[in-house]
Amino acid sequence: MSQTDVRATAARLLVPVLDGQGSLGHLDGGLAAAGIANRDRGFAKALCYGVCRALPRLEALSSELLRQPFKRRDLDVQALLLLGLYQLLYMRVPPHAAVGETSGAARSLGKDWATRVLNGCLRRFQRESQALQAKVDRDPSVALLHPPWLLKTLRQAWPDDWQAIAEANNQPGPMTLRVNRRRTSREAYLERLVEAGSAARTTAHAAQALTLDESCDVQTLPGFSAGEVSVQDEAAQLTAELLAPALETRAGARVLDACAAPGGKSAHLLEAFDIALTALDSDAQRLSRVEATLARLGLTATLVHADAGELTWWDGQAFDAILLDAPCSGSGVIRRHPDIKRLRRPSDIRTLAGQQARLLDALWETLAPGGTLLYATCSVLPEENSTQIAAFLARTADARATPIDADWGRPAGAGRQLLPQAGGHDGFYYARLVKESTGPGG
């Protein structure tokens, strides 16, 4: 398949994202279905992720270049224009290829008429690049590559940090590994990486984490297929540390991972503690990924397909600990899911906060007196984090927050907030809650 066809395929796969109807989560399947060779998939994915990452700026530039916007039925042509601009601005693609092959890709879409339009727009951009960029960058939301509502929300939540958050969101997240301590040590695995020619460094906060200097195919990692290592961000790995006080001296403790897919945190808990774990998720397809993850690592858990907020799945036996990694805006992991910039809406935050509250209230019933519930999100928005937990504590008489004494993140209400760090961890929030035992008579 030619590079022109690869660009045309990337444009087709971007259409649902641009239309607000789909995500990049189906990108791998779409590339495979289109017959894109393995050697070309990295380029196609870089194009699609890159366009989503820089979307506000690319769309502002395209508006300057077009006399009138493309019709909705021609979103694939619009996608090609964005792809061309992204290559010229951010990739080491020869300019003649960025212009010629991107314009020519319109023929692969069956829209020969668009070839001349795209060629004219991209060549004009080459001629007027500095002036056009300076013009659109007067808008902070364009310069910082975030939709206006999201940038405003970040600014209100983090008046001293909003620009740093936005800048971190715009950089691809590093590839961080979690070493399976049941199989090897972090130090021994680091030596194996060095011997294999991969540079990595230990992280500051997670005891089993290593961050690679350069991302790679997981199948090339030493011992990956044998379950010696997994891919997991440093912030997500702090889950085990926070649940350690409740689990490390309680062999056989009943533990629930309430929103378990794709299974990274379930696996980490099973690697770290001798527990009986139930992994629950409402999405059957994603639950199958939990099963595959545990099988690779040689771990076992009880898998349940159900809505954690509807307790018809519960057998009445209380859990000693619960991890609620709640559905959220993903505002702390935009760098890994840049399509959030297009797909997320301001109204979603309130809807998600309602779901989080429903899950908290329902799962609290399944927690044993004296048990611990760890609330987590990959969000940086107070409505989903500190405000959410404050409201739960206010309406739940037997709930008490336990302090998180840590050298990472910052206090945020009853919990602790990590903001995304360029080259470091994702944005994450944790709050640790204990269910107080009631005395005689309630």
Side-chain angles (χ1 to χ4, degrees), residues 150-339:
L150 180 54
L151 203 63
K152 179 181 178 181
T153 301
L154 292 175
R155 191 168 191 167
Q156 290 173 339
W158 302 102
D160 297 327
D161 302 283
W162 64 280
Q163 284 183 289
I165 294 171
E167 289 166 359
N169 286 347
N170 295 335
Q171 300 297 318
M175 185 172 180
T176 299
L177 310 179
R178 185 190 74 244
V179 178
N180 183 351
R181 71 183 194 182
R182 290 186 182 268
R183 303 288 180 88
T184 185
S185 69
R186 178 167 72 167
E187 292 70 25
Y189 192 81
L190 180 56
E191 290 181 8
R192 291 182 64 189
L193 283 176
V194 173
E195 290 171 0
S198 296
R201 64 186 185 277
T202 58
T203 62
H205 309 301
Q208 302 303 125
L210 293 169
T211 295
L212 299 176
D213 286 2
E214 293 185 12
S215 299
C216 67
D217 183 336
V218 294
Q219 298 300 330
T220 67
L221 292 169
F224 179 81
S225 60
E228 294 181 31
V229 68
S230 300
V231 177
Q232 188 178 43
D233 183 73
E234 181 187 18
Q237 293 188 42
L238 297 173
T239 296
E241 172 190 312
L242 292 170
L243 281 173
L247 299 178
E248 59 189 354
T249 60
R250 299 188 65 175
R254 283 174 48 82
V255 179
L256 172 67
D257 185 350
C259 301
K265 296 182 184 68
S266 287
H268 192 193
L269 292 175
L270 288 165
E271 290 171 2
F273 310 110
D274 294 320
I275 56 176
L277 186 132
T278 297
L280 183 149
D281 204 272
S282 61
D283 187 321
Q285 186 174 1
R286 282 170 54 81
L287 193 63
S288 67
R289 293 179 61 190
V290 180
E291 185 175 22
T293 294
L294 297 181
R296 180 180 64 84
L297 295 166
L299 302 169
T300 58
T302 300
L303 271 60
V304 178
H305 173 219
D307 178 351
E310 301 287 342
L311 297 186
T312 53
W313 57 270
W314 185 41
D315 62 6
Q317 284 190 275
F319 293 99
D320 300 301
I322 296 173
L323 168 62
L324 173 53
D325 187 6
C328 70
S329 63
S331 52
V333 291
I334 288 174
R335 61 188 187 169
R336 300 191 190 277
H337 304 281
D339 48 353

